[in-house]
Amino acid sequence: QVQLVESGGGLVQAGGSLSLSCAASGQPFSNYNVAWFRQAPGKEHEFVAAIKWSGGFTNYVDSVKGRFTISRDNAKNTVYLQMNSLEPEDTAVYYCAAGHRSWGWPGTHYNYWGQGTQVTVSS
């Protein structure tokens, strides 16, 4: 079992920045691929970014490329999402998810999820 806790959400003006953190416990985090997803009111769950267990590979949805950066510190069992140049369309609840490295990359099955953190971008 892996427990995930997100933090760092909040209210920011358009053009501003936020940094989200996902802290893990329960299993060695270095064995897990980790992703960020988001869900805006009335919209589908959306993949945002992912990072391989080793930290050597990342993926991003096109709408955040060049603005968001995912990174990880396995020694601290934490994954980060640095969000710059935020837009009102980025407003959503952001979820951290983890899937064991045995699922492969890409195409990891994310079966552990955090509770989410709200990000609100005002125009």
Side-chain angles (χ1 to χ4, degrees):
Q1 291 288 335
V2 176
Q3 293 78 44
L4 303 173
V5 178
E6 303 95 335
S7 61
L11 173 63
V12 65
Q13 288 189 332
S17 298
L18 281 176
S19 181
L20 304 184
S21 298
C22 172
S25 61
Q27 292 282 330
F29 206 32
S30 58
N31 286 331
Y32 289 82
N33 301 325
V34 179
W36 288 94
F37 291 80
R38 65 186 179 187
Q39 188 164 25
K43 293 191 176 181
E44 298 276 331
H45 217 214
E46 178 186 36
F47 167 83
V48 177
I51 187 165
K52 196 174 180 180
W53 59 271
S54 61
F57 292 92
T58 57
N59 282 334
Y60 298 89
V61 67
D62 285 347
S63 60
V64 307
K65 285 180 180 177
R67 301 189 298 122
F68 292 10
T69 302
I70 189 171
S71 61
R72 67 189 299 160
D73 186 338
N74 285 338
K76 295 183 178 180
N77 286 339
T78 303
V79 168
Y80 307 95
L81 185 68
Q82 178 64 41
M83 305 185 296
N84 299 326
S85 302
L86 283 161
E87 303 168 353
E89 293 73 24
D90 296 316
T91 295
V93 177
Y94 283 70
Y95 298 90
C96 173
H100 197 267
R101 58 188 278 188
S102 60
W103 286 103
W105 176 274
T108 299
H109 173 62
Y110 296 101
N111 53 330
Y112 296 106
W113 292 79
Q115 293 299 306
T117 185
Q118 176 71 47
V119 171
T120 303
V121 184
S122 63
S123 57

mmCIF file with all atom_site columns, all heavy atoms in Angstrom, residues 55-68:
data_model
loop_
_atom_site.group_PDB
_atom_site.id
_atom_site.type_symbol
_atom_site.label_atom_id
_atom_site.label_alt_id
_atom_site.label_comp_id
_atom_site.label_asym_id
_atom_site.label_entity_id
_atom_site.label_seq_id
_atom_site.pdbx_PDB_ins_code
_atom_site.Cartn_x
_atom_site.Cartn_y
_atom_site.Cartn_z
_atom_site.occupancy
_atom_site.B_iso_or_equiv
_atom_site.pdbx_formal_charge
_atom_site.auth_seq_id
_atom_site.auth_comp_id
_atom_site.auth_asym_id
_atom_site.auth_atom_id
_atom_site.pdbx_PDB_model_num
ATOM 1   N N   . GLY A 1 55 ? 12.985 8.908  -12.454 1.00 0.00 ? 55 GLY A N   1
ATOM 2   C CA  . GLY A 1 55 ? 13.073 10.343 -12.684 1.00 0.00 ? 55 GLY A CA  1
ATOM 3   C C   . GLY A 1 55 ? 13.628 10.696 -14.046 1.00 0.00 ? 55 GLY A C   1
ATOM 4   O O   . GLY A 1 55 ? 13.702 11.864 -14.405 1.00 0.00 ? 55 GLY A O   1
ATOM 5   N N   . GLY A 1 56 ? 13.987 9.681  -14.836 1.00 0.00 ? 56 GLY A N   1
ATOM 6   C CA  . GLY A 1 56 ? 14.651 9.945  -16.106 1.00 0.00 ? 56 GLY A CA  1
ATOM 7   C C   . GLY A 1 56 ? 13.730 10.305 -17.252 1.00 0.00 ? 56 GLY A C   1
ATOM 8   O O   . GLY A 1 56 ? 14.208 10.787 -18.290 1.00 0.00 ? 56 GLY A O   1
ATOM 9   N N   . PHE A 1 57 ? 12.450 10.030 -17.131 1.00 0.00 ? 57 PHE A N   1
ATOM 10  C CA  . PHE A 1 57 ? 11.503 10.316 -18.211 1.00 0.00 ? 57 PHE A CA  1
ATOM 11  C C   . PHE A 1 57 ? 10.275 11.006 -17.644 1.00 0.00 ? 57 PHE A C   1
ATOM 12  O O   . PHE A 1 57 ? 9.830  10.699 -16.536 1.00 0.00 ? 57 PHE A O   1
ATOM 13  C CB  . PHE A 1 57 ? 11.087 9.013  -18.906 1.00 0.00 ? 57 PHE A CB  1
ATOM 14  C CG  . PHE A 1 57 ? 12.190 8.359  -19.672 1.00 0.00 ? 57 PHE A CG  1
ATOM 15  C CD1 . PHE A 1 57 ? 12.994 7.408  -19.056 1.00 0.00 ? 57 PHE A CD1 1
ATOM 16  C CD2 . PHE A 1 57 ? 12.446 8.688  -20.990 1.00 0.00 ? 57 PHE A CD2 1
ATOM 17  C CE1 . PHE A 1 57 ? 14.022 6.793  -19.738 1.00 0.00 ? 57 PHE A CE1 1
ATOM 18  C CE2 . PHE A 1 57 ? 13.479 8.072  -21.682 1.00 0.00 ? 57 PHE A CE2 1
ATOM 19  C CZ  . PHE A 1 57 ? 14.269 7.131  -21.062 1.00 0.00 ? 57 PHE A CZ  1
ATOM 20  N N   . THR A 1 58 ? 9.732  11.934 -18.443 1.00 0.00 ? 58 THR A N   1
ATOM 21  C CA  . THR A 1 58 ? 8.514  12.638 -18.059 1.00 0.00 ? 58 THR A CA  1
ATOM 22  C C   . THR A 1 58 ? 7.577  12.742 -19.258 1.00 0.00 ? 58 THR A C   1
ATOM 23  O O   . THR A 1 58 ? 8.016  12.666 -20.414 1.00 0.00 ? 58 THR A O   1
ATOM 24  C CB  . THR A 1 58 ? 8.825  14.063 -17.557 1.00 0.00 ? 58 THR A CB  1
ATOM 25  O OG1 . THR A 1 58 ? 9.539  14.772 -18.577 1.00 0.00 ? 58 THR A OG1 1
ATOM 26  C CG2 . THR A 1 58 ? 9.659  14.026 -16.277 1.00 0.00 ? 58 THR A CG2 1
ATOM 27  N N   . ASN A 1 59 ? 6.295  12.903 -18.968 1.00 0.00 ? 59 ASN A N   1
ATOM 28  C CA  . ASN A 1 59 ? 5.279  13.144 -19.995 1.00 0.00 ? 59 ASN A CA  1
ATOM 29  C C   . ASN A 1 59 ? 4.392  14.286 -19.538 1.00 0.00 ? 59 ASN A C   1
ATOM 30  O O   . ASN A 1 59 ? 4.145  14.433 -18.333 1.00 0.00 ? 59 ASN A O   1
ATOM 31  C CB  . ASN A 1 59 ? 4.395  11.906 -20.198 1.00 0.00 ? 59 ASN A CB  1
ATOM 32  C CG  . ASN A 1 59 ? 5.069  10.842 -21.038 1.00 0.00 ? 59 ASN A CG  1
ATOM 33  O OD1 . ASN A 1 59 ? 5.937  11.124 -21.849 1.00 0.00 ? 59 ASN A OD1 1
ATOM 34  N ND2 . ASN A 1 59 ? 4.672  9.594  -20.822 1.00 0.00 ? 59 ASN A ND2 1
ATOM 35  N N   . TYR A 1 60 ? 3.883  15.054 -20.503 1.00 0.00 ? 60 TYR A N   1
ATOM 36  C CA  . TYR A 1 60 ? 2.983  16.162 -20.191 1.00 0.00 ? 60 TYR A CA  1
ATOM 37  C C   . TYR A 1 60 ? 1.842  16.203 -21.192 1.00 0.00 ? 60 TYR A C   1
ATOM 38  O O   . TYR A 1 60 ? 2.023  15.879 -22.376 1.00 0.00 ? 60 TYR A O   1
ATOM 39  C CB  . TYR A 1 60 ? 3.713  17.511 -20.257 1.00 0.00 ? 60 TYR A CB  1
ATOM 40  C CG  . TYR A 1 60 ? 4.836  17.683 -19.278 1.00 0.00 ? 60 TYR A CG  1
ATOM 41  C CD1 . TYR A 1 60 ? 6.125  17.301 -19.599 1.00 0.00 ? 60 TYR A CD1 1
ATOM 42  C CD2 . TYR A 1 60 ? 4.602  18.226 -18.016 1.00 0.00 ? 60 TYR A CD2 1
ATOM 43  C CE1 . TYR A 1 60 ? 7.175  17.454 -18.702 1.00 0.00 ? 60 TYR A CE1 1
ATOM 44  C CE2 . TYR A 1 60 ? 5.638  18.388 -17.101 1.00 0.00 ? 60 TYR A CE2 1
ATOM 45  C CZ  . TYR A 1 60 ? 6.919  17.995 -17.464 1.00 0.00 ? 60 TYR A CZ  1
ATOM 46  O OH  . TYR A 1 60 ? 7.942  18.158 -16.562 1.00 0.00 ? 60 TYR A OH  1
ATOM 47  N N   . VAL A 1 61 ? 0.682  16.644 -20.728 1.00 0.00 ? 61 VAL A N   1
ATOM 48  C CA  . VAL A 1 61 ? -0.393 16.950 -21.660 1.00 0.00 ? 61 VAL A CA  1
ATOM 49  C C   . VAL A 1 61 ? 0.008  18.225 -22.406 1.00 0.00 ? 61 VAL A C   1
ATOM 50  O O   . VAL A 1 61 ? 0.703  19.103 -21.855 1.00 0.00 ? 61 VAL A O   1
ATOM 51  C CB  . VAL A 1 61 ? -1.734 17.118 -20.913 1.00 0.00 ? 61 VAL A CB  1
ATOM 52  C CG1 . VAL A 1 61 ? -1.731 18.356 -20.022 1.00 0.00 ? 61 VAL A CG1 1
ATOM 53  C CG2 . VAL A 1 61 ? -2.890 17.160 -21.883 1.00 0.00 ? 61 VAL A CG2 1
ATOM 54  N N   . ASP A 1 62 ? -0.400 18.336 -23.663 1.00 0.00 ? 62 ASP A N   1
ATOM 55  C CA  . ASP A 1 62 ? 0.059  19.452 -24.503 1.00 0.00 ? 62 ASP A CA  1
ATOM 56  C C   . ASP A 1 62 ? -0.250 20.812 -23.890 1.00 0.00 ? 62 ASP A C   1
ATOM 57  O O   . ASP A 1 62 ? 0.538  21.759 -24.018 1.00 0.00 ? 62 ASP A O   1
ATOM 58  C CB  . ASP A 1 62 ? -0.576 19.356 -25.888 1.00 0.00 ? 62 ASP A CB  1
ATOM 59  C CG  . ASP A 1 62 ? 0.050  18.268 -26.747 1.00 0.00 ? 62 ASP A CG  1
ATOM 60  O OD1 . ASP A 1 62 ? 1.120  17.747 -26.372 1.00 0.00 ? 62 ASP A OD1 1
ATOM 61  O OD2 . ASP A 1 62 ? -0.533 17.936 -27.792 1.00 0.00 ? 62 ASP A OD2 1
ATOM 62  N N   . SER A 1 63 ? -1.373 20.932 -23.211 1.00 0.00 ? 63 SER A N   1
ATOM 63  C CA  . SER A 1 63 ? -1.814 22.238 -22.720 1.00 0.00 ? 63 SER A CA  1
ATOM 64  C C   . SER A 1 63 ? -0.921 22.803 -21.612 1.00 0.00 ? 63 SER A C   1
ATOM 65  O O   . SER A 1 63 ? -1.024 23.995 -21.306 1.00 0.00 ? 63 SER A O   1
ATOM 66  C CB  . SER A 1 63 ? -3.256 22.153 -22.222 1.00 0.00 ? 63 SER A CB  1
ATOM 67  O OG  . SER A 1 63 ? -3.372 21.220 -21.169 1.00 0.00 ? 63 SER A OG  1
ATOM 68  N N   . VAL A 1 64 ? -0.068 21.975 -21.008 1.00 0.00 ? 64 VAL A N   1
ATOM 69  C CA  . VAL A 1 64 ? 0.791  22.480 -19.932 1.00 0.00 ? 64 VAL A CA  1
ATOM 70  C C   . VAL A 1 64 ? 2.270  22.452 -20.291 1.00 0.00 ? 64 VAL A C   1
ATOM 71  O O   . VAL A 1 64 ? 3.103  22.921 -19.504 1.00 0.00 ? 64 VAL A O   1
ATOM 72  C CB  . VAL A 1 64 ? 0.576  21.695 -18.615 1.00 0.00 ? 64 VAL A CB  1
ATOM 73  C CG1 . VAL A 1 64 ? -0.905 21.659 -18.248 1.00 0.00 ? 64 VAL A CG1 1
ATOM 74  C CG2 . VAL A 1 64 ? 1.154  20.291 -18.682 1.00 0.00 ? 64 VAL A CG2 1
ATOM 75  N N   . LYS A 1 65 ? 2.591  21.932 -21.462 1.00 0.00 ? 65 LYS A N   1
ATOM 76  C CA  . LYS A 1 65 ? 4.001  21.867 -21.862 1.00 0.00 ? 65 LYS A CA  1
ATOM 77  C C   . LYS A 1 65 ? 4.604  23.272 -21.904 1.00 0.00 ? 65 LYS A C   1
ATOM 78  O O   . LYS A 1 65 ? 4.014  24.199 -22.443 1.00 0.00 ? 65 LYS A O   1
ATOM 79  C CB  . LYS A 1 65 ? 4.136  21.196 -23.232 1.00 0.00 ? 65 LYS A CB  1
ATOM 80  C CG  . LYS A 1 65 ? 3.956  19.689 -23.196 1.00 0.00 ? 65 LYS A CG  1
ATOM 81  C CD  . LYS A 1 65 ? 4.108  19.083 -24.583 1.00 0.00 ? 65 LYS A CD  1
ATOM 82  C CE  . LYS A 1 65 ? 3.925  17.567 -24.528 1.00 0.00 ? 65 LYS A CE  1
ATOM 83  N NZ  . LYS A 1 65 ? 3.999  16.963 -25.885 1.00 0.00 ? 65 LYS A NZ  1
ATOM 84  N N   . GLY A 1 66 ? 5.797  23.389 -21.332 1.00 0.00 ? 66 GLY A N   1
ATOM 85  C CA  . GLY A 1 66 ? 6.465  24.688 -21.274 1.00 0.00 ? 66 GLY A CA  1
ATOM 86  C C   . GLY A 1 66 ? 6.061  25.530 -20.089 1.00 0.00 ? 66 GLY A C   1
ATOM 87  O O   . GLY A 1 66 ? 6.705  26.544 -19.800 1.00 0.00 ? 66 GLY A O   1
ATOM 88  N N   . ARG A 1 67 ? 4.990  25.135 -19.386 1.00 0.00 ? 67 ARG A N   1
ATOM 89  C CA  . ARG A 1 67 ? 4.525  25.894 -18.215 1.00 0.00 ? 67 ARG A CA  1
ATOM 90  C C   . ARG A 1 67 ? 4.673  25.102 -16.919 1.00 0.00 ? 67 ARG A C   1
ATOM 91  O O   . ARG A 1 67 ? 4.973  25.662 -15.876 1.00 0.00 ? 67 ARG A O   1
ATOM 92  C CB  . ARG A 1 67 ? 3.058  26.294 -18.391 1.00 0.00 ? 67 ARG A CB  1
ATOM 93  C CG  . ARG A 1 67 ? 2.784  27.144 -19.606 1.00 0.00 ? 67 ARG A CG  1
ATOM 94  C CD  . ARG A 1 67 ? 1.365  27.689 -19.591 1.00 0.00 ? 67 ARG A CD  1
ATOM 95  N NE  . ARG A 1 67 ? 0.354  26.642 -19.633 1.00 0.00 ? 67 ARG A NE  1
ATOM 96  C CZ  . ARG A 1 67 ? -0.600 26.483 -18.701 1.00 0.00 ? 67 ARG A CZ  1
ATOM 97  N NH1 . ARG A 1 67 ? -0.666 27.289 -17.658 1.00 0.00 ? 67 ARG A NH1 1
ATOM 98  N NH2 . ARG A 1 67 ? -1.504 25.515 -18.829 1.00 0.00 ? 67 ARG A NH2 1
ATOM 99  N N   . PHE A 1 68 ? 4.434  23.790 -16.980 1.00 0.00 ? 68 PHE A N   1
ATOM 100 C CA  . PHE A 1 68 ? 4.501  22.929 -15.800 1.00 0.00 ? 68 PHE A CA  1
ATOM 101 C C   . PHE A 1 68 ? 5.739  22.044 -15.865 1.00 0.00 ? 68 PHE A C   1
ATOM 102 O O   . PHE A 1 68 ? 6.154  21.624 -16.946 1.00 0.00 ? 68 PHE A O   1
ATOM 103 C CB  . PHE A 1 68 ? 3.281  22.024 -15.708 1.00 0.00 ? 68 PHE A CB  1
ATOM 104 C CG  . PHE A 1 68 ? 1.976  22.711 -15.415 1.00 0.00 ? 68 PHE A CG  1
ATOM 105 C CD1 . PHE A 1 68 ? 1.838  24.083 -15.438 1.00 0.00 ? 68 PHE A CD1 1
ATOM 106 C CD2 . PHE A 1 68 ? 0.854  21.941 -15.095 1.00 0.00 ? 68 PHE A CD2 1
ATOM 107 C CE1 . PHE A 1 68 ? 0.638  24.703 -15.160 1.00 0.00 ? 68 PHE A CE1 1
ATOM 108 C CE2 . PHE A 1 68 ? -0.368 22.548 -14.816 1.00 0.00 ? 68 PHE A CE2 1
ATOM 109 C CZ  . PHE A 1 68 ? -0.463 23.931 -14.860 1.00 0.00 ? 68 PHE A CZ  1
#
